[in-house]
Amino acid sequence: MNDIGATLEQIRIMKGITVTSIAKGSNYSRTNYYKLIRTNDADMMTKTFFAMLDQLTVTLDEFEYIKAHNQLPPFERWTRDMQQAFNNPKFSTTDKVMALQQIKQQAQTEYEGSHITKFRHLVIMVDLFMNRLQASPMGPALKKEAAEISKYLAKVNTWTHYDIVLFSNTMFAIPDAIQTSLLHSVFKNKDNYQDYPALISEIFMFTTNLVILGIQRHQPHQVHDRVMNLKQLTLQPDAALERIILQFCEGLDDYLSKSDLTMTKCTTAIQMTQQLGMPKWTALFNNVLDETKKI
């Protein structure tokens, strides 16, 4: 039984859907369906496959998750592990570097076997994270890797979840001028996704990270420009966290522009995170506020 056929059959059985229903809904004969789940010989058009997913009422991402034995596919899993290793407060720097090296080796092996670009990108992301941990200047080889990411992103005309995640994880290694150009490209695309709130939320969070990066680098003009970008986004009615973040970022901009030295908006946003039981955001806001006062 091949992977695709096996997964389709597993989902069909788990959901109690008949083969007849699958066949009718996807215009695919019962004979071909049985051939598909037992061998790899049956031809199936892409539209037929997606019609089957519709009949099974699962998304492509859910199908991939089940196909991978109820775990994230390798790229998504290793990207998650990379972020967790980097941010784990219980790990020493040595522990973090060792964990990242293991992820890099897995991604490099996958890339050498498949030549799929995203695994090459993951190798570069890990290299950049390790360099950041070691607080070392970027050498020529690492600068070349960062330029490889910039070159890829510069060619993107339609930004997807993958591109936003890649930019978000490498932005600290991308020069300001290129950052600004790439962000302009992202926002040029945003109107295409107004009916796709998940991606708008990702763009919002990503831009928030750029605000924080501007604070860390003591660049008030960058903070102002990024806050203006945040204001361009149309938030969903239930986007409560995003609205709190926006209020906090507006307060930072007000303080840096000296229009409100009391940081009233920032204080209100912090109080809201406390009331809503968001300790991570409370801690982050307080840290950013302390750094802002040093500018």
Side-chain angles (χ1 to χ4, degrees):
M1 198 181 282
N2 68 83
D3 285 350
I4 292 177
T7 306
L8 288 169
E9 181 65 356
Q10 177 188 352
I11 296 170
R12 184 192 70 78
I13 293 171
M14 290 169 59
K15 291 210 166 200
I17 298 172
T18 65
V19 174
T20 300
S21 177
I22 297 293
K24 284 184 178 179
S26 59
N27 198 27
Y28 199 64
S29 72
R30 286 168 55 94
T31 300
N32 278 340
Y33 178 82
Y34 283 119
K35 190 176 181 182
L36 170 69
I37 66 174
R38 290 185 173 85
T39 72
N40 208 18
D41 295 334
D43 292 328
M44 179 170 57
M45 296 177 65
T46 302
K47 68 176 184 179
T48 301
F49 172 69
F50 281 106
M52 285 187 180
L53 294 187
D54 282 343
Q55 284 297 105
L56 294 169
T57 62
V58 295
T59 65
L60 181 60
D61 285 343
E62 289 169 334
F63 177 85
E64 288 290 343
Y65 180 78
I66 296 169
K67 181 171 169 283
H69 307 292
N70 294 333
Q71 60 179 350
L72 291 173
F75 177 81
E76 286 77 7
R77 187 168 68 251
W78 294 336
T79 300
R80 178 204 60 193
D81 292 347
M82 175 189 71
Q83 294 166 336
Q84 289 179 346
F86 183 83
N87 293 311
N88 193 328
K90 296 180 181 179
F91 279 14
S92 67
T93 299
T94 302
D95 291 335
K96 291 180 179 183
V97 170
M98 288 179 61
L100 290 171
Q101 285 175 335
Q102 184 177 3
I103 295 166
K104 176 184 175 179
Q105 184 177 10
Q106 291 172 318
Q108 182 64 37
T109 300
E110 183 67 29
Y111 175 67
E112 290 172 356
S114 67
H115 301 290
I116 295 175
T117 304
K118 65 182 179 181
F119 292 106
R120 168 61 183 163
H121 289 166
L122 182 54
V123 169
I124 296 173
M125 281 193 280
V126 174
D127 279 341
L128 292 171
F129 272 49
M130 288 194 291
N131 180 261
R132 195 176 184 188
L133 279 173
Q134 295 161 342
S136 305
M138 287 175 58
L142 197 56
K143 287 181 179 179
K144 187 176 180 181
E145 286 189 327
E148 189 177 329
I149 297 292
S150 297
K151 185 177 179 180
Y152 165 82
L153 292 173
K155 295 179 180 178
V156 174
N157 289 315
T158 299
W159 287 73
T160 61
H161 167 77
Y162 173 80
D163 306 311
I164 295 293
V165 170
L166 180 61
F167 193 1
S168 184
N169 281 310
T170 59
M171 62 184 180
F172 61 89
I174 297 174
D176 290 346
I178 298 176
Q179 252 187 42
T180 301
S181 175
L182 294 175
L183 193 63
H184 175 75
S185 176
V186 172
F187 274 80
K188 187 178 177 182
N189 245 252
K190 70 179 175 61
D191 291 339
N192 296 333
Y193 292 96
Q194 288 302 335
D195 292 329
Y196 192 7
L199 192 62
I200 293 297
S201 181
E202 283 189 349
I203 293 173
F204 182 94
M205 292 301 184
F206 160 70
T207 309
T208 299
N209 287 337
L210 288 174
V211 172
I212 296 171
L213 187 63
I215 294 293
Q216 292 171 340
R217 292 179 173 176
H218 292 195
Q219 297 172 324
H221 64 287
Q222 290 284 4
V223 174
H224 175 75
D225 290 346
R226 299 298 78 83
V227 173
M228 292 302 102
N229 289 141
L230 287 176
K231 290 181 177 181
Q232 293 177 35
L233 295 171
T234 303
L235 300 176
Q236 293 295 302
D238 60 350
L241 175 59
E242 285 88 342
R243 284 183 168 78
I244 294 172
I245 295 171
L246 179 58
Q247 184 175 17
F248 179 78
C249 291
E250 286 176 337
L252 297 176
D253 189 36
D254 289 345
Y255 176 82
L256 293 173
S257 66
K258 304 191 184 308
S259 63
D260 180 10
L261 296 179
T262 64
M263 292 188 161
T264 304
K265 290 182 179 178
C266 294
T267 303
T268 301
I270 291 173
Q271 290 172 345
M272 291 177 71
T273 61
Q274 292 170 332
Q275 292 167 2
L276 294 171
M278 300 175 174
K280 290 183 179 180
W281 283 101
T282 302
L284 175 62
F285 284 175
N286 279 316
N287 289 338
V288 173
L289 208 56
D290 291 341
E291 191 65 32
T292 304
K293 293 174 182 177
K294 298 175 185 178
I295 300 176

